[in-house]
Amino acid sequence: MESKVEIPVAPYATSDRTSFAFISARDRWPVIVTGAIDDIHRAIVASDDVPKRKEGKTILEALAKLKYEVQHDRQLTPLADDGKPDVSNYNKELESLGGPKWFSVPWLFAECYLYRRVHTSFSLSDHWKTYDVFSRQKMSTFRSSRPAVLELAAKYKDLVSQLERDVNSMKVPEELVEAERILFTEMCEMCLWGNATDLSLLTSLSYEDIQKLQGADARKKAENNILVNDLPAAYTVLKEAQKTDKKVRRVDIVLDNAGFELFVDLILAGYLLAAGLATQITLHPKTIPWFVSDVIPADFAALLSALANPQGFYSTPNEHSDQVQDPLSEKEASDLSFLFQHWAGFHAEGQLLLRPNLFWTSAHSYWHLPQAEPRLYEDLKDSELVIFKGDLNYRKLTADAMWEPTTAFTTAIGPMGPASNVRTLALRTCKADTVVGLPDGADERLKGMEGGGGDSGARKWAWSGKWAVVQFCDGKA
């Protein structure tokens, strides 16, 4: 049995009324479970299969019970055994917490437990085992992102053609180097703000609001909102690796959300391969539906299939809008088709890989990775750079703990930090209290802004996704 990992700072808990943990437990979780109940209800109505419908009703009851327990602050109960090896870890952790209630439990554990419990309702069935209760929502949001998708598809096609021309051109090397550095920065920042559409957090946003969060203008305005930006150090690492004679130079992306964010992640992956900054990209999705919008392997397939038939996909009405969609122009369809061919080509050549692992949906923070999943940890050491996307990955890197905001990122990630032999780059728009690596006085200044939290004790500025951090640790240095 693995020894206990000691984290020197207490985690955020749902009992802290000044934290987003409390707001999550009280307001967000019931809404999310209600959404799952509505989805399964629709699926039951649409099914003619009598045994399937009967099982669906059992799942509905299990989800309704979960919602009731959350809303009425009942005790968290052990997960039913669905045959997966992570169940015993969840239940051991639950036992070590001493039978907590929903409003007095470490936030990270409770949130992971909530989604694992939702999944258990399906995995214990015969007819619904592979059903993704969040899939409809994920694809609907991707449809709503049409303007940004088309803008980026056109840009990507031009970019790849430009890269091919530059490689064969007689341009002054200095010009090329500077252009590449700027391009790398822009690609990563685009990837960072792609996270502005996290469905598990945006329970109150309309689909029109989502469109406003995407696109070039939004990214330009947001540049000033990156509080710490370590992209130059990450770029240097990839350029240095390029000078070696290594056959494989791998970059890993630990994925966050499906739909538009996965689309942007793939644009970054395709760019890194086309620019020769990597020879292989390994994408790490979740194994089960998770935190509403997180990527599972089926989302990757659904995205590629939408791009393979873009006209059909974008002509289908969006269930969240009565608006009839105009057909794509010939150029728009051609740009999306180019993307599909380009990415499918990388995938077929083994340069773009998907590698799910049960660890990503454990309740563990990444402080536990070396002991809990040593093979995965060893594998990440082979990567030139491991990019962790989004808020949950950041919370897991820092153990979702109440660090002082000026604590060094390299300290807060513990065993994933210096001497880990893993190079970590976190791309994170802030949507929770934990934040580290800020300059002196930055937290106080942001709290003092309108809606920042002021004297309430709450770090409200860090809940909205308006601010971001890009933080790097060279564990191989």
Side-chain angles (χ1 to χ4, degrees):
M1 192 175 149
E2 65 190 61
S3 59
K4 191 84 176 148
V5 174
E6 290 298 332
I7 297 159
V9 178
Y12 278 95
T14 54
S15 52
D16 178 357
R17 286 175 172 266
T18 67
S19 73
F20 194 55
F22 174 74
I23 305 281
S24 282
R26 187 192 64 188
D27 300 341
R28 286 174 49 239
W29 294 346
V31 171
I32 286 162
V33 180
T34 302
I37 289 169
D38 292 347
D39 180 274
I40 196 84
H41 183 72
R42 287 175 62 170
I44 291 168
V45 169
S47 174
D48 299 328
D49 184 329
V50 176
K52 184 177 179 177
R53 288 174 67 129
K54 192 178 172 192
E55 255 191 356
K57 285 173 183 166
T58 306
I59 293 168
L60 272 183
E61 284 162 20
L63 294 177
K65 182 173 185 283
L66 174 61
K67 181 182 166 181
Y68 177 87
E69 287 171 18
V70 173
Q71 287 181 308
H72 295 85
D73 194 23
R74 296 295 194 255
Q75 211 168 20
L76 280 73
T77 54
L79 290 174
D81 188 358
D82 62 3
K84 295 283 180 355
D86 61 338
V87 172
S88 64
N89 288 332
Y90 268 98
N91 290 342
K92 270 182 213 156
E93 184 70 21
L94 192 56
E95 196 182 340
S96 76
L97 292 168
K101 293 183 174 179
W102 282 98
F103 285 94
S104 55
V105 64
W107 182 27
L108 182 63
F109 174 78
E111 200 157 23
C112 292
Y113 165 91
L114 175 90
Y115 286 98
R116 185 60 179 86
R117 178 125 164 235
V118 167
H119 178 67
T120 307
S121 316
F122 294 92
S123 59
L124 288 168
S125 72
D126 290 325
H127 297 85
W128 300 84
K129 267 194 203 307
T130 58
Y131 186 77
D132 179 359
V133 72
F134 306 121
S135 172
R136 200 193 308 258
Q137 232 177 316
K138 286 188 270 197
M139 285 319 279
S140 181
T141 314
F142 186 56
R143 244 185 217 108
S144 303
S145 304
R146 171 174 160 163
V149 166
L150 294 174
E151 178 204 333
L152 291 179
K155 190 168 183 177
Y156 183 87
K157 186 179 179 182
D158 290 346
L159 177 66
V160 169
S161 314
Q162 179 70 41
L163 283 169
E164 285 166 2
R165 279 200 302 275
D166 284 350
V167 169
N168 303 318
S169 77
M170 300 304 287
K171 259 193 188 175
V172 183
E174 287 78 34
E175 279 179 35
L176 274 179
V177 167
E178 182 57 14
E180 189 185 65
R181 188 187 60 73
I182 291 167
L183 200 49
F184 173 81
T185 305
E186 189 173 321
M187 283 287 166
C188 289
E189 287 182 4
M190 186 172 71
C191 207
L192 166 74
W193 295 113
N195 177 248
T197 51
D198 181 328
L199 298 182
S200 81
L201 293 158
L202 304 181
T203 43
S204 60
L205 273 193
S206 74
Y207 282 76
E208 286 69 33
D209 292 332
I210 283 173
Q211 289 184 11
K212 286 176 200 155
L213 290 169
Q214 299 162 344
D217 291 346
R219 288 194 301 279
K220 262 283 173 265
K221 282 180 198 157
E223 252 173 29
N224 300 329
N225 293 4
I226 303 176
L227 302 170
V228 181
N229 196 339
D230 291 341
L231 281 177
Y235 177 68
T236 300
V237 154
L238 295 183
K239 286 306 288 178
E240 289 302 313
Q242 209 176 15
K243 294 174 189 168
T244 66
D245 54 4
K246 283 185 184 173
K247 262 207 162 103
V248 177
R249 288 176 287 107
R250 193 176 108 201
V251 170
D252 287 58
I253 305 177
V254 183
L255 298 169
D256 190 31
N257 297 315
F260 182 73
E261 188 177 345
L262 175 60
F263 176 79
V264 177
D265 292 340
L266 287 169
I267 281 193
L268 175 66
Y271 159 71
L272 291 173
L273 292 169
L277 288 168
T279 62
Q280 191 181 80
I281 306 283
T282 302
L283 303 172
H284 298 266
K286 308 294 191 296
T287 46
I288 59 174
W290 199 247
F291 278 63
V292 182
S293 45
D294 283 25
V295 180
I296 59 174
D299 296 321
F300 181 74
L303 182 74
L304 285 184
S305 128
L307 295 176
N309 176 21
Q311 201 64 270
F313 179 73
Y314 279 113
S315 304
T316 313
N318 190 338
E319 63 187 275
H320 292 274
S321 162
D322 299 330
Q323 210 178 342
V324 177
Q325 293 293 331
D326 293 328
L328 298 174
S329 71
E330 204 172 306
K331 182 188 183 301
E332 288 167 342
S334 155
D335 289 346
L336 289 174
S337 179
F338 175 85
L339 265 190
F340 171 74
Q341 300 294 344
H342 206 237
W343 294 345
F346 284 139
H347 192 46
E349 293 292 321
Q351 287 184 277
L352 191 58
L353 305 171
L354 275 189
R355 197 170 290 169
N357 191 297
L358 208 56
F359 177 77
W360 305 122
T361 53
S362 72
H364 288 308
S365 80
Y366 300 156
W367 278 60
H368 295 82
L369 175 60
Q371 288 180 314
E373 196 54 65
R375 277 196 301 187
L376 174 61
Y377 180 58
E378 289 303 315
D379 180 55
L380 294 178
K381 291 179 183 182
D382 290 338
S383 185
E384 299 301 332
L385 183 67
V386 184
I387 302 173
F388 288 88
K389 290 291 313 290
D391 194 72
L392 176 61
N393 277 319
Y394 189 88
R395 285 171 57 199
K396 285 200 160 195
L397 279 168
T398 57
D400 201 33
M402 295 191 281
W403 301 99
E404 284 297 320
T406 52
T407 307
F409 177 68
T410 51
T411 302
I413 63 176
M416 297 292 285
S420 64
N421 232 357
V422 177
R423 285 203 189 101
T424 297
L425 179 69
L427 298 183
R428 185 248 188 155
T429 53
C430 304
K431 295 176 187 167
D433 299 80
T434 298
V435 63
V436 296
L438 296 189
D440 279 335
D443 184 42
E444 293 76 8
R445 177 177 64 81
L446 291 160
K447 275 183 179 167
M449 289 182 168
E450 191 184 344
D455 300 327
S456 66
R459 188 175 286 137
K460 287 187 179 174
W461 67 263
W463 301 355
S464 64
K466 178 184 175 182
W467 303 95
V469 288
V470 176
Q471 290 168 319
F472 174 69
C473 173
D474 190 348
K476 295 180 194 276

